[in-house]
Amino acid sequence: MKLAEVLEALSLAVDDPEMLDIEVEGGYCSDLLSDVMAKAAAGSIWVTNQAHPNVVAVASLIDAAAVIVAGGVQPEEGTVNKAQELGIPLFSTDLSAFDVVGRLYELGVRGSLRNG
Amino acid sequence: MPDVRDVGALMSVTYDIAARDFVRAGEAANKLKRLLQQLGLDPAVIRRAAIAAYEAEMNIVIHSYGGQIKVDITPESIEIFCEDSGPGIPDIEKALQEGYSTASEEIREMGFGAGMGLPNIQKSADKFRIESAVGRGTCLQVTILHEAGE
Ligand SMILES: Nc1ncnc2c1ncn2[C@@H]1O[C@H](COP(=O)(O)OP(=O)(O)OP(=O)(O)O)[C@@H](O)[C@H]1O
Ligand SMILES: [Mg+2]
């Protein structure tokens, strides 16, 4: 599924239209960085309430399709800058993590774990 | 795959890791990952190296006063050597247990301190060695083979 479809379901807009074409292969939801690092599959959309710059470093390391910061948490400036620098699509929403995941699930996005 | 085997050379890179720098934290692991991708290594091997480097880097950022990560890429393996100066680990056996963490409340609120870092490094490694001297620092050596069954 394309990121465009996911963003539409969450009523989110992008600055960079190239991002719309990114393939979302699954999803992962966690606020523990080491847990995401160990378990989330590449191509996942990552839903979290964390909004500090290390989130972007982890998203880049796991080849996340995008990061959704949920619960009305505003990403720090350092986070936004790092996302631009590393080319990670980063969005924030007032929806709770529960509601974000619910909408994604309704769309057909499923949880995806790394093999091994 | 067109990897270091063809070059026949050993590559070595060193990254300096600053304590408590949460903006730059994770940069070394990301640089290493990009290098391994450029070398055309297997994505599963790259992910395991990324996990080990990231967790080691974060432990230096969070638990030490600063250190270095040196990576040798040989035809057979990726060797990750980490060294820091810091308080060291009094009970290594305990530190290696999943869920054990001495991270502060403030650090836990950032999503660290699950006590998963060292166990994750161990799971990603084909060979793993840790040594620590209380009041001085910690050394970590991780080997990831290019051709290892998970
Ligand atoms: N480089 C280090 N210097 C000093 N102590 C360390 C170092 N690395 C790990 N430790 C100690 O070992 C414990 C376990 O480390 P581990 O990486 O498994 O978990 P954590 O860092 O606490 O949490 P997580 O990695 O899940 O964010 C730490 O809480 C800390 O007490
Ligand atoms: Mg750790």
Side-chain angles (χ1 to χ4, degrees):
Chain A
M1 175 179 314
K2 299 288 182 202
L3 187 56
E5 236 181 294
V6 169
L7 295 178
E8 203 192 317
L10 300 173
S11 310
L12 290 169
V14 274
D15 311 324
D16 176 1
E18 264 184 40
M19 287 181 173
L20 296 172
D21 231 24
I22 290 173
E23 200 62 42
V24 175
E25 286 163 38
Y28 200 77
C29 182
S30 175
D31 293 333
L32 296 173
L33 286 302
S34 291
D35 174 61
V36 175
M37 200 55 223
K39 295 193 189 136
S44 297
I45 188 157
W46 174 19
V47 182
T48 179
N49 285 328
Q50 298 290 353
H52 54 77
N54 201 248
V55 167
V56 178
V58 169
S60 170
L61 283 168
I62 66 166
D63 295 314
V67 179
I68 310 287
V69 178
V73 184
Q74 228 21 64
E76 297 164 24
E77 194 186 321
T79 310
V80 174
N81 292 342
K82 211 179 184 75
Q84 258 156 15
E85 182 193 324
L86 295 178
I88 299 292
L90 174 82
F91 304 91
S92 61
T93 172
D94 285 338
L95 292 172
S96 72
F98 184 94
D99 284 329
V100 171
V101 172
R103 289 198 190 184
L104 296 186
Y105 213 88
E106 224 166 26
L107 263 188
V109 180
R110 293 292 176 262
S112 56
L113 294 174
R114 179 177 77 103
N115 301 324
Chain B
M1 58 187 159
D3 64 9
V4 276
R5 250 160 291 204
D6 301 332
V7 185
L10 178 135
M11 273 191 75
S12 190
V13 277
T14 302
Y15 306 101
D16 289 323
I17 315 295
R20 299 273 141 180
D21 186 343
F22 286 97
V23 174
R24 293 198 57 199
E27 267 183 21
N30 264 300
K31 281 182 189 156
L32 174 64
K33 179 198 165 209
R34 239 167 294 142
L35 172 66
L36 300 179
Q37 280 175 327
Q38 281 159 11
L39 292 171
L41 298 185
D42 176 58
V45 167
I46 295 176
R47 175 67 178 258
R48 290 201 287 138
I51 291 172
Y54 171 77
E55 295 296 357
E57 180 178 3
M58 292 316 300
N59 279 353
I60 295 173
V61 171
I62 292 170
H63 304 295
S64 90
Y65 309 145
Q68 276 197 335
I69 299 180
K70 176 171 168 282
V71 183
D72 288 347
I73 303 149
T74 77
E76 293 79 33
S77 65
I78 303 164
E79 306 282 343
I80 304 173
F81 306 93
C82 311
E83 201 172 359
D84 66 56
S85 41
I89 304 176
D91 188 340
I92 287 179
E93 213 174 302
K94 229 183 190 172
L96 290 173
Q97 280 171 17
E98 196 150 341
Y100 177 82
S101 176
T102 60
S104 67
E105 195 50 45
E106 180 196 3
I107 292 290
R108 284 173 203 258
E109 275 170 17
M110 294 176 76
F112 306 109
M116 288 179 71
L118 290 174
N120 285 350
I121 295 174
Q122 257 186 315
K123 280 181 216 157
S124 299
D126 290 301
K127 259 189 262 168
F128 172 81
R129 237 187 47 191
I130 180 165
E131 268 168 42
S132 193
V134 172
R136 284 205 278 157
T138 302
C139 290
L140 216 69
Q141 189 178 342
V142 176
T143 303
I144 293 165
L145 301 173
H146 295 307
E147 275 162 31
E150 263 267 329

